[in-house]
Amino acid sequence: MIFRRWTNVFSFTFTQHIRSKGFRLSTLIVALVFLILIPVILLLTTAPGGSGAPVPCTADAVIVSDTTGLDFDWQTLGSLGCPDISYTAAPDLESALKDAGTNDRSLVLHIGQEAGSYTLTVILPENTALTQDDADSFSEALGSCFSAVLAQSAGLTADQLAALNAEVSSAVESGSDGAGADQALMEGLGMMVPYIVLMLLYFLILFYGQGVANSVILEKSSKLMDTFLVSIHPAAMIMGKLLAIAAAGIFQLLCWVAGIAGGFGAGILLLKLTSPGAEAAVVQIISSLSAATSLFSPAAGLTALAFVIAGFLMYCALSAIGGSLASKQEDLSSTNFLFSLALVVSFLVSLSTDTLNGGLSTGSSWVYYVPFTAVLTVPGRVLLGDLTIGQSLISLGLTLALTAVLILAAGKTYVLMSFWKGNPPSLKKLFNILVHSKSEKEKHRSV
């Protein structure tokens, strides 16, 4: 069996890879960055008193300078929702600033009118004991109650004012409870999920695919190739190395995800201690994310995960061919161009077609069945239900079949290039060598 003893190569390569200093440092540093940076961001982006209640205004008086001629008793402003403090009218802004100078806990309110709209300006006088938070709190309260000021100025009665300020609630109902919210959430996810999956897979393949090529060429540069060729089939060696690098990459990714989860957990714990109300807001955000993931069926999630792994292995197998072609590390830049070309072209094709937006009926659905582009497009679409499980399984089968072919081709290329001298052959020349070696074997079998 050609894949016999591949587990020995897998365990050796995986152990050596995760024990390398670079792997351990990158895994630990990135996880720690997430673990530390996320709580810091949550704390910095949360205002003090994060319960949502405004900071109370501590001013004692407000001097009002009204240039619009509103017919309103400013002493009653406190009854409309503004701070219940002393309000005094001044003939102009200069007089208001002068009067405010006699009390270091006074604010100045200047009311003007431009192009048919009212402008409300809250001014902190010089040498005041008040803070910007006091001015902001008063300005926010004034903005919410100024419509009542205009209503009273227009001569509306108390009953008319109450009717004007009556709360109005609206709702959209559908045949099933929560269907409207789920539909809106799915529409938002439909725009984000395919692009997130595309970018994640692209950089994951780009980063770890090159590692497979470097691992395959290792025996050639370390003079261990002859031993490998005698003790294990090249296809088994390629598969063992490929799976080991992929497993190390997934392990590293899981460590980073654990760092992100730990960062959110630490951030929520700190917010509980400093701003309990803000902590509730963060929990609501996380709950909304949990609700979003609950919209994906388990079968779709498992199929998408299987497709991600299969596609990752397929591109790594393609990179293994580049490593098999090279005789030394310096050759990889030229021999691994097929991997780079296939990945970049597939990435651009996936972005240029409308398949990321669910374009099944517009003539671009072929990208779902070409393995190189399917890897980047199918997982997101099957999660959202735009592809059936049957369609995704057909695409998954094609991807797995191509992966097996590429692994066998990489092993065959490894053997043929074992004693190759000189520059790496072109793809055309390599194809001729493969065909020639196959015909020679058939001749020997017929003799």
Side-chain angles (χ1 to χ4, degrees):
M1 187 176 180
I2 60 174
F3 292 116
R4 186 174 60 88
R5 300 181 64 185
W6 69 269
T7 54
N8 295 340
V9 179
F10 173 87
S11 59
F12 174 79
T13 305
F14 180 77
T15 303
Q16 292 297 112
H17 197 73
I18 64 174
R19 283 182 178 178
S20 66
K21 186 177 181 181
F23 181 88
R24 288 184 295 177
L25 282 178
S26 61
T27 304
L28 182 62
I29 290 174
V30 174
L32 287 177
V33 167
F34 285 134
L35 192 60
I36 297 172
L37 190 61
I38 291 177
V40 172
I41 292 176
L42 290 178
L43 291 175
L44 292 179
T45 56
T46 302
S51 61
V55 178
C57 178
T58 61
D60 294 335
V62 173
I63 314 300
V64 182
S65 169
D66 178 21
T67 62
T68 64
L70 289 174
D71 184 14
F72 181 74
D73 183 7
W74 297 105
Q75 291 288 355
T76 64
L77 193 60
S79 63
L80 300 179
C82 285
D84 191 10
I85 55 180
S86 173
Y87 293 91
T88 305
D92 52 44
L93 180 59
E94 183 179 355
S95 300
L97 291 172
K98 183 178 179 180
D99 293 343
T102 62
N103 184 352
D104 63 357
R105 304 197 68 80
S106 296
L107 292 172
V108 173
L109 170 61
H110 179 65
I111 303 175
Q113 196 170 19
E114 295 181 2
S117 62
Y118 288 90
T119 59
L120 309 177
T121 306
V122 180
I123 303 173
L124 280 169
E126 294 183 3
N127 303 321
T128 181
L130 300 176
T131 64
Q132 183 68 40
D133 288 338
D134 292 312
D136 291 340
S137 176
F138 177 75
S139 178
E140 183 179 353
L142 179 65
S144 63
C145 70
F146 194 71
S147 60
V149 173
L150 296 177
Q152 288 191 12
S153 178
L156 296 180
T157 64
D159 293 339
Q160 291 173 328
L161 183 60
L164 183 65
N165 293 328
E167 293 185 2
V168 178
S169 60
S170 61
V172 177
E173 295 185 359
S174 58
S176 57
D177 295 339
D182 288 350
Q183 182 179 1
L185 185 58
M186 285 300 292
E187 288 177 356
L189 292 173
M191 298 177 62
M192 295 186 298
V193 169
Y195 290 96
I196 292 174
V197 173
L198 173 68
M199 299 304 296
L200 177 63
L201 280 173
Y202 176 77
F203 288 106
L204 191 68
I205 293 169
L206 187 65
F207 184 75
Y208 289 104
Q210 190 68 24
V212 173
N214 289 326
S215 180
V216 169
I217 200 177
L218 180 64
E219 283 73 30
K220 293 183 181 180
S221 58
S222 60
K223 308 303 180 183
L224 294 175
M225 180 180 59
D226 296 345
T227 303
F228 265 103
L229 290 178
V230 171
S231 60
I232 192 171
H233 194 280
M237 186 200 71
I238 296 294
M239 189 174 78
K241 286 179 172 292
L242 186 152
L243 294 177
I245 299 298
I250 294 173
F251 172 76
Q252 188 175 57
L253 185 62
L254 291 177
C255 290
W256 293 344
V257 171
I260 294 174
F264 274 107
I268 291 174
L269 181 61
L270 290 176
L271 289 176
K272 281 183 178 179
L273 300 175
T274 58
S275 304
E279 177 270 334
V282 175
V283 171
Q284 289 179 359
I285 295 175
I286 296 176
S287 298
S288 65
L289 293 177
S290 300
T293 57
S294 67
L295 297 177
F296 305 140
S297 67
L302 291 175
T303 304
L305 179 61
F307 212 103
V308 167
I309 296 174
F312 185 38
L313 294 178
M314 182 196 68
Y315 271 103
C316 288
L318 186 61
S319 179
I321 294 179
S324 300
L325 275 171
S327 58
K328 53 184 181 297
Q329 291 285 345
E330 292 78 7
D331 295 336
L332 276 180
S333 58
S334 59
T335 60
N336 215 23
F337 81 96
L338 189 61
F339 162 78
S340 303
L341 181 65
L343 180 59
V344 172
V345 170
S346 299
F347 177 77
L348 294 177
V349 169
S350 300
L351 286 178
S352 62
T353 59
D354 58 355
T355 51
L356 292 180
N357 298 318
L360 270 174
S361 60
T362 59
S364 56
S365 58
W366 58 268
V367 300
Y368 295 146
Y369 301 101
V370 175
F372 294 111
T373 53
V375 171
L376 303 176
T377 55
V378 169
R381 298 260 58 101
V382 72
L383 278 177
L384 297 171
D386 295 325
L387 281 176
T388 65
I389 300 298
Q391 289 173 318
S392 58
L393 288 178
I394 293 173
S395 184
L396 177 61
L398 294 173
T399 302
L400 290 173
L402 181 59
T403 302
V405 170
L406 290 176
I407 291 176
L408 293 174
K412 186 69 173 178
T413 304
Y414 191 88
V415 174
L416 293 176
M417 296 295 105
S418 299
F419 305 103
W420 180 269
K421 303 299 181 182
N423 295 326
S426 63
L427 288 179
K428 181 179 179 180
K429 191 170 185 179
L430 175 64
F431 181 77
N432 291 332
I433 294 174
L434 289 171
V435 173
H436 180 72
S437 64
K438 183 177 180 180
S439 61
E440 289 294 330
K441 280 188 177 181
E442 291 177 351
K443 286 181 181 179
H444 286 299
R445 288 176 182 174
S446 60
V447 172

